[in-house]
Amino acid sequence: MIDIAGWAPEPRETVEVIDPAPSMALAGVLDAEPPGEELPPLWQWLHFLERPAQRELGADGHPREGRFLPPIPDRSRMFAGGRFRIHQPLRAGDTVTRRDELASTALKNGRSGEMLFVTVRHTFLRGGVEIAVEEQDLVYRSGGAASRPPEVSFQAPEADAPWTSPMAADPVLLFRFSALTYNAHRIHYDETYATEVEGHGGLVVHGPLLAILCLELPRRAGLKVTELSFRARRPVYARQPFVAAGSPDGDLSIEAPGGVTAMTATFA
């Protein structure tokens, strides 16, 4: 049984000067035009990165310990979604403080057993003034992986929406995104581990990458986004065709093979 009694991590602050180089690199990964000095929504994930020593990593590639990592055994981690509210954009060259704190925890029962939902809040400040607030929802499960990987479809999905962007993420793209975000989780680059240990149907496309691809639709349409939310519903695997779909009304999604909606998002 998951037990987090007494787990109450203190808030933490980190200061960083926003370097434009990571945004230039991500634009190359996405085959997109580089942004100007303002960071597009969610591109803050290229900054304030933790860089643990190799000895501090667990078998899955994640750090074994951390301020906001719950103290539960055999912990597996999933990215579930989040929200982002922007008062003023982060800009290249700015000195920004990020204040991190545990916002909430919730224990739920799923098909694979008990799951701990953790929400971490990141507040961004410039000159002491709050400019943006992000909340990330993470799911932790204690115990073994699924008994067998799911069947994976490679049939091209259909999407009926004003905006569509079809693509597939190959292992090279996943490697480059992992490198940009300093994400060593093995489900994104070690197919044997992903399938045989964590029970996936292949290499997993990063949830944050899918969320960024959703928000690329209004960005490329020239719309300014000040608030957004997204929820990861099903994994997408390497080489699977998928479509980022959406409309100016504010609805976005990732449509995967087999009629599966892998992610939903809204923006305003």
Side-chain angles (χ1 to χ4, degrees):
M1 182 175 180
I2 292 177
D3 182 11
I4 57 167
W7 182 56
E10 292 293 322
R12 172 183 60 190
E13 288 192 355
T14 308
V15 180
E16 181 174 323
V17 177
I18 304 301
D19 186 339
S23 290
M24 295 285 289
L26 179 57
V29 170
L30 300 180
D31 284 327
E33 287 297 317
E37 66 173 12
E38 296 184 359
L39 263 62
L42 304 182
W43 289 39
Q44 75 274 7
W45 288 336
L46 307 178
H47 302 274
F48 302 95
L49 303 178
E50 296 185 6
R51 297 177 174 88
Q54 190 72 14
R55 64 179 178 275
E56 297 171 347
L57 302 182
D60 61 357
H62 274 305
R64 288 189 298 271
E65 298 178 356
R67 186 181 296 266
F68 301 107
L69 299 179
I72 58 178
D74 302 321
R75 177 184 58 217
S76 62
R77 176 183 182 275
M78 294 176 288
F79 181 84
R83 292 150 299 284
F84 192 38
R85 186 174 67 253
I86 307 163
H87 307 305
Q88 298 179 37
L90 281 73
R91 299 189 303 253
D94 283 350
T95 298
V96 176
T97 299
R98 191 182 78 173
R99 179 184 300 142
D100 307 331
E101 59 187 325
L102 181 67
S104 67
T105 61
L107 189 61
K108 299 181 181 181
N109 285 305
R111 289 176 296 177
S112 58
E114 287 185 322
M115 297 183 295
L116 176 66
F117 287 75
V118 173
T119 297
V120 177
R121 181 180 298 119
H122 305 297
T123 302
F124 298 87
L125 303 106
R126 183 172 55 223
V129 176
E130 179 183 298
I131 60 173
V133 179
E134 175 192 359
E135 289 186 342
Q136 283 191 11
D137 300 326
L138 305 168
V139 182
Y140 294 93
R141 180 168 55 85
S142 182
S147 58
R148 53 186 292 180
E151 293 291 330
V152 177
S153 170
F154 292 91
Q155 181 179 359
E158 296 182 0
D160 183 13
W163 299 333
T164 58
S165 179
M167 67 174 300
D170 64 16
V172 175
L173 191 153
L174 300 186
F175 170 80
R176 296 180 74 191
F177 190 78
S178 287
L180 275 174
T181 54
Y182 219 82
N183 184 347
H185 197 176
R186 290 171 64 184
I187 61 173
H188 304 304
Y189 60 87
D190 184 339
E191 190 158 5
T192 299
Y193 175 86
T195 57
E196 296 183 6
V197 177
E198 297 218 9
H200 288 290
L203 293 177
V204 180
V205 179
H206 310 68
L209 174 57
L210 296 177
I212 286 174
L213 289 171
C214 281
L215 268 297
E216 278 296 282
L217 296 174
R219 184 174 89 89
R220 296 180 186 187
L223 298 185
K224 189 176 183 65
V225 173
T226 59
E227 192 166 352
L228 62 97
S229 66
F230 55 94
R231 181 182 176 187
R233 297 179 177 274
R234 296 277 293 275
V236 176
Y237 297 113
R239 306 182 186 88
Q240 276 192 301
F242 62 89
V243 178
S247 75
D249 294 337
D251 292 323
L252 305 167
S253 66
I254 297 292
E255 303 299 327
V260 170
T261 298
M263 177 172 283
T264 54
T266 60
F267 73 92

